[in-house]
């Protein structure tokens, strides 16, 4: 495997419940990435209560995907060209048809993704984890009752807000989201694995959070071990 020299533009993939967002958050904090989280951009649009927010709210609540171009527009609004910061994408591209949109974004903003990272977790393990997820409705920080609990039970470490569960973390919606991931992400992962193997990395997500993080730092070239 060719070593990656500390990526500057990174995409993280993982099924719902893989721990992807918590992991991405920690990589971002420790290594100075600006987070680009499409799920969070969409939830911010919902919190704003504008026309776009109303449109996407019911889609998110159902567990289905938002139209590609809507996500692309939100990304374009969020990013300013030329991109001078390190970027970590969490949640995009999420369908095969978003791959060319990512390429368009790279051209327009003047950057190139230098690593695609998959956090591999079985559907069964993901399911068990999702039922224990808690989120901050104010800042979007995510916690896990067992693996990543807040310092004070039920309260966000960052802003003291009461933690809640995500609307799309109920059993029916969880099943839809897992199905959507399998259907749409398999072709995306196959694409990068086949066409950009030197930029594709996979870590075993079925370990403790710290172990997954250590393996991630290792495969990304952030640690010497
Ligand atoms: P996440 O926080 O990444 O789990 O995303 C939550 C929800 O936002 C998903 O279930 C989708 O409805 C929507 N979403 C996030 N990213 C995308 C994307 N790239 N394309 C379409 N829908 C998305």
């Amino acid at each position: 495997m060719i070593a990656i020299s500390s990526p500057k533009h990174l995409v993280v993939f993982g099924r719902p419940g893989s721990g992807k967002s918590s992991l991405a958050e920690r990589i971002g904090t420790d290594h100075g990435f600006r987070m680009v989280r499409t799920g969070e951009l969409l939830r911010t649009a919902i919190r704003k209560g504008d026309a776009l927010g109303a449109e996407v709210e019911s889609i998110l609540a159902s567990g289905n995907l938002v139209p590609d171009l809507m996500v692309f527009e939100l990304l374009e609004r969020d990013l300013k060209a030329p991109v001078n910061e390190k970027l970590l994408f969490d949640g995009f591209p999420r369908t095969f048809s978003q791959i060319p949109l990512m390429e368009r974004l790279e051209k327009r903003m003047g950057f190139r993704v230098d690593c695609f990272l998959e956090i591999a977790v079985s559907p069964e393990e993901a399911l068990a984890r999702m039922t224990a997820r808690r989120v901050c409705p104010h800042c979007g920080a995510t916690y896990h009752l067992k693996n990543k609990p807040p310092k004070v039970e039920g309260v966000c470490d960052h802003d003291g807000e009461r933690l809640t569960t995500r609307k799309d973390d109920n059993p029916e919606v969880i099943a839809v989201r897992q199905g959507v991931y399998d259907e749409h992400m398999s072709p995306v992962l196959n694409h990068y694995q086949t066409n950009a193997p030197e930029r594709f990395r996979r870590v075993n997500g079925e370990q403790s959070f710290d172990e997954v993080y250590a393996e991630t730092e290792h495969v990304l070239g952030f640690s010497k071990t």
Side-chain angles (χ1 to χ4, degrees), residues 53-169:
E55 205 175 324
V56 297
E57 185 166 20
S58 60
I59 303 178
L60 257 71
S62 74
N64 288 303
L65 295 176
V66 170
D68 292 344
L69 287 177
M70 209 181 260
V71 176
F72 185 71
E73 251 173 54
L74 275 177
L75 281 169
E76 272 203 315
R77 242 188 268 169
D78 190 52
L79 294 171
K80 295 273 167 292
V83 164
N84 296 316
E85 334 159 77
K86 290 162 75 173
L87 298 180
L88 195 165
F89 288 86
D90 168 2
F92 182 85
R94 207 168 181 127
T95 61
F96 197 72
S97 49
Q98 288 179 11
I99 293 174
L101 294 181
M102 175 53 113
E103 287 161 6
R104 203 195 295 178
L105 203 66
E106 287 177 289
K107 282 207 188 85
R108 279 199 196 164
M109 303 291 161
F111 70 92
R112 181 176 184 264
V113 174
D114 35 25
C115 182
F116 300 93
L117 175 77
E118 182 196 356
I119 320 294
V121 165
S122 69
E124 296 74 26
E125 172 72 13
L127 207 68
R129 291 181 182 184
M130 285 175 86
T131 46
R133 174 151 66 186
R134 296 294 178 272
V135 293
C136 174
H138 182 65
C139 73
T142 57
Y143 300 89
H144 185 277
L145 293 182
K146 191 165 138 258
N147 300 337
K148 194 185 169 226
K151 292 188 183 101
V152 177
E153 197 186 319
V155 176
C156 181
D157 293 350
H158 305 293
D159 53 27
E161 197 78 21
R162 278 243 133 243
L163 299 179
T164 56
T165 50
R166 270 169 49 167
K167 269 195 196 146
D168 51 0
D169 270 355

